[in-house]
Amino acid sequence: MTLSPADEFRHETGPDPRWQETYWFSAGDPLTHCGIDVHLACQPHEGYVEAQITVISPEETVSLGGRSSAHRLRQQIRRRLALPHPPQRP
């Protein structure tokens, strides 16, 4: 398999009814030992998006996810992810 710059963009929807476009993002801070994983799976034939957002810290791991229509998912994220401001570093 050879990757090309076009692989970084959305692909044409395939004929298989189970076809999905998947995005995965991860980030971490080695100083605070905190991180985040975001996984999105767009399923255009079914009209749904599956999302999983996980925030990891030394104290706990919090995960929010589920299957929803794209419109409903945007509303849920706006309501449920009112994240606090990070503490100021000295």
Side-chain angles (χ1 to χ4, degrees), residues 46-65:
E46 297 181 20
Y48 285 96
V49 175
E50 290 185 16
Q52 186 75 32
I53 301 168
T54 305
V55 180
I56 303 130
S57 75
E59 291 79 28
E60 67 179 313
T61 298
V62 178
S63 190
L64 168 69

